[in-house]
């Protein structure tokens, strides 16, 4: 009855069009005032302590780094390098778009930022080269989603924050801690590269079938020059992941270092951004960070309410009692997350659903890292289909296409992503092998 009241009220408030963050906060306050004896002072304390988390600091730093890179000419140099490598294949510019998105994803941590940075340059270039606008829009919209799967990823950080305070017991009754940001980053490497490859294969097949244009083959000298020009941007990948794996710094410290590094290469190395542009980038990053942190604050409060009422554990006990195994549970999770992607943006979904699903998954023997990657891939799919797919709206503005037309354009690549989701769901080693080999699990 308690669960029905909480989730019923939350859904009702969201259906009114109220922002999700406010709906979460009002649900908690309404329940506390009407159905419990919990002192209201504890709410204020939880609001403060909920974001007093070292890992949360990584979010604004990664956002800032991504904005510096977006405005600092890094994307253009990555596109030139990708084009020199694969531009002579069928659909060469499309393949270069996929490769450039994968490279930029490895330094930005955000899907919309990847779509903006790569799409603003690639889409006009593809249309000018003779590619249909739908083809270019489909490639960039879906490949941009790699921004939250290939590390560093803001959504992965949010997953770790959301599950950090959850209590979970494995089938043997042993307490299991949530995944760390470092584990999640390493776990995203192989799935991210695999999805980039599958999207590239889809792009190549459609270009080959329709005989789309190919570019002249670049010489090795041209490729070396293109690589040298984008080398400073690519170096950030090794600084972040290499530093975390080597234990030189934590993921949060890596985020801070990436922000400073991105500022230096954008302003002083590439010189595509002047010091006068820096306040604008700082303000934009602060606005985006404040929005995400406000959602996190209210979601932490909602998680506190569920933990206080023991709701996740009750759900876990009920699911195991009715005989649902891990195979069926993961199928239900995928359907649930894909449906949620129709109405909410990724950060909100992860913050609400992760604390609920985490104890149930652990109870069924599912590793927290595997669950995290599964949720991230679902969020990728959600960003590429209507009605609230962020990538669709960003790409729509760049390509000057309607949402309906763009939805039709992304369908072949979206189908590839759904097939990949099924593979990642039922082959856990894709997510777990690399962090296990590195000794992180």
């Amino acid at each position: 009855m308690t669960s029905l009241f909480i989730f019923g009220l939350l859904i009702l408030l969201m259906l009114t069009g109220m922002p999700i963050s406010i709906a979460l906060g009002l649900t908690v306050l309404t329940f506390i005032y009407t159905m419990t004896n919990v002192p209201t002072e504890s709410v204020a304390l939880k609001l403060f302590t909920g974001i007093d988390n070292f890992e949360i600091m990584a979010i604004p730093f990664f956002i800032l780094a991504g904005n510096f890179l977006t405005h600092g000419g890094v994307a253009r140099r990555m596109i030139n390098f990708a084009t020199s490598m694969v531009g002579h294949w069928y659909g060469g510019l499309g393949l270069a778009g996929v490769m450039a998105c994968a490279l930029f994803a490895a330094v930005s941590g955000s899907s919309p930022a990847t779509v903006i940075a790569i799409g603003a340059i690639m889409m006009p270039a593809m249309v000018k080269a003779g590619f249909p606008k739908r083809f270019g829009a489909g490639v960039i919209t879906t490949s941009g989603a790699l921004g939250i799967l290939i590390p560093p990823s803001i959504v992965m950080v949010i997953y770790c924050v959301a599950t950090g305070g959850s209590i979970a017991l494995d089938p043997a009754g042993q307490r299991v801690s949530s995944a760390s940001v470092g584990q999640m980053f390493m776990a995203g490497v192989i799935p991210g590269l695999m999805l980039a490859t599958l999207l590239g294969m889809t792009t190549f097949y459609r270009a080959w079938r329709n005989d789309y244009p190919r570019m002249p083959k670049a010489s090795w000298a041209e490729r070396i020059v293109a690589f040298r020009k984008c080398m400073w941007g690519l170096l950030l990948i090794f600084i972040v992941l290499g530093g975390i794996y080597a234990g030189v710094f934590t993921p949060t410290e890596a985020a801070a270092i990436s922000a400073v590094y991105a500022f230096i290469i954008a302003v002083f190395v590439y010189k595509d951004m002047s010091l006068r542009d820096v306040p604008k980038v700082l303000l934009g990053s602060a606005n985006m960070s404040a929005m995400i942190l406000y959602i996190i604050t209210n979601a932490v409060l909602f998680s506190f309410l569920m933990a206080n009422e023991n709701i996740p554990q009750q759900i876990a006990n009920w699911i195991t009692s009715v005989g649902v195994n891990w195979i069926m549970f993961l199928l239900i999770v995928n359907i649930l997350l894909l449906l949620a992607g129709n109405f909410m943006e990724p950060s909100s979904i992860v913050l609400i659903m992760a604390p609920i699903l985490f104890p149930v998954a652990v109870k069924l023997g599912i590793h927290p890292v595997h669950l995290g990657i599964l949720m991230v891939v679902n969020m990728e799919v959600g960003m590429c289909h209507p009605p609230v797919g962020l990538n669709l709206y960003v790409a729509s503005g760049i390509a000057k296409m309607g949402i309906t037309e763009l939805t039709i354009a992304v369908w072949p690549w979206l189908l590839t992503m759904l097939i990949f989701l099924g593979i990642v769901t039922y082959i856990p080693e894709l997510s777990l092998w690399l962090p296990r080999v590195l000794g992180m699990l």
Side-chain angles (χ1 to χ4, degrees), residues 37 77 126 159 246 440:
N37 294 319
R77 289 171 173 82
M126 291 175 73
Y159 169 78
M440 302 179 76

Side-chain angles (χ1 to χ4, degrees), residues 6 63 109 127 132 143 164 173-174 203 212 217 223 231 262 268 270 317 330 351 360 365 373-374 378 425-426:
I6 293 173
I63 290 173
V127 172
S143 299
Q174 301 294 318
T203 302
Y212 288 154
K217 186 174 182 179
R223 291 174 178 176
M231 181 178 64
F268 298 110
Y270 290 148
N317 293 333
L330 290 181
L351 287 165
V360 184
I373 297 298
L374 178 66
N378 272 285
T425 300
Y426 293 112

Side-chain angles (χ1 to χ4, degrees), residues 73-157:
V74 176
R76 176 164 47 83
R77 289 171 173 82
M78 287 184 173
I79 289 171
N80 291 339
F81 172 61
T83 303
S84 71
M85 296 300 295
V86 296
H88 59 285
W89 295 357
Y90 277 104
L93 277 179
L95 290 172
V98 176
M99 184 176 174
C101 284
L103 291 173
F104 195 81
V107 296
S108 72
S110 167
S111 284
T114 304
V115 174
I116 292 171
I118 305 300
I121 301 170
M122 285 300 299
M123 285 190 197
M126 291 175 73
V127 172
K128 186 178 179 180
F131 289 88
K133 186 186 286 188
R134 284 189 175 186
F135 179 83
V139 170
I140 301 301
T141 303
T142 49
S143 299
L146 292 167
I148 62 171
L149 180 58
I150 295 178
S153 164
I154 293 171
V155 173
M156 288 182 184
V157 177

Side-chain angles (χ1 to χ4, degrees), residues 183-196:
Q183 289 172 338
M184 288 297 299
F185 280 4
M186 293 304 168
V189 172
I190 291 178
L193 294 176
M194 183 177 176
L195 179 56

Side-chain angles (χ1 to χ4, degrees), residues 103-367:
L103 291 173
F104 195 81
V107 296
S108 72
S110 167
S111 284
T114 304
V115 174
I116 292 171
I118 305 300
I121 301 170
M122 285 300 299
M123 285 190 197
M126 291 175 73
V127 172
K128 186 178 179 180
F131 289 88
K133 186 186 286 188
R134 284 189 175 186
F135 179 83
V139 170
I140 301 301
T141 303
T142 49
S143 299
L146 292 167
I148 62 171
L149 180 58
I150 295 178
S153 164
I154 293 171
V155 173
M156 288 182 184
V157 177
I158 291 175
Y159 169 78
C160 295
V161 171
T163 57
S166 301
I167 299 173
L169 302 176
D170 66 12
Q174 301 294 318
R175 184 165 178 165
V176 176
S177 60
S178 63
S180 69
V181 175
Q183 289 172 338
M184 288 297 299
F185 280 4
M186 293 304 168
V189 172
I190 291 178
L193 294 176
M194 183 177 176
L195 179 56
T197 302
L198 291 175
L199 291 174
M201 290 170 63
T202 305
T203 302
F204 178 86
Y205 172 75
R206 290 186 62 79
W208 170 75
R209 186 176 178 183
N210 295 286
D211 196 25
Y212 288 154
R214 302 165 68 177
M215 298 183 66
K217 186 174 182 179
S219 66
W220 279 106
E222 291 172 325
R223 291 174 178 176
I224 292 171
V225 169
F227 174 75
R228 287 175 59 188
K229 288 182 177 179
C230 77
M231 181 178 64
W232 292 104
L234 296 176
L235 189 60
L236 183 57
I237 304 172
F238 299 99
I239 291 174
V240 172
L241 296 184
I244 292 172
Y245 168 62
V248 178
F249 38 68
T250 66
T252 302
E253 291 166 345
I257 290 169
S258 68
V260 174
Y261 180 84
F263 164 74
I264 292 172
I265 63 170
V267 176
F268 298 110
V269 178
Y270 290 148
K271 298 180 181 178
D272 289 324
M273 179 188 295
S274 67
L275 286 172
R276 281 182 292 182
D277 298 324
V278 173
K280 181 181 177 182
V281 173
L282 291 173
L283 183 60
S285 302
N287 286 336
M288 191 182 300
S289 299
M291 178 185 69
I292 293 177
L293 291 173
Y294 185 63
I295 296 173
I296 289 175
T297 304
N298 286 282
V300 167
L301 198 60
F302 187 73
S303 299
F304 162 71
L305 172 63
M306 290 192 297
N308 191 61
E309 297 299 318
N310 209 32
I311 291 173
Q313 283 70 36
Q314 292 174 12
I315 294 174
N317 293 333
W318 177 76
I319 286 179
T320 52
S321 68
V322 297
V324 173
N325 59 17
W326 71 275
I327 296 175
M328 185 60 66
F329 172 73
L330 290 181
L331 177 62
I332 295 170
V333 168
N334 281 334
I335 294 172
L336 188 64
L337 293 176
L338 290 174
L339 289 174
N342 288 308
F343 308 103
M344 294 187 286
E345 50 88 31
S347 300
S348 302
I349 297 173
V350 173
L351 287 165
I352 293 172
M353 301 301 298
I356 300 171
L357 298 175
F358 172 67
V360 184
V362 172
K363 185 90 172 178
L364 294 172
I366 299 166
H367 199 283

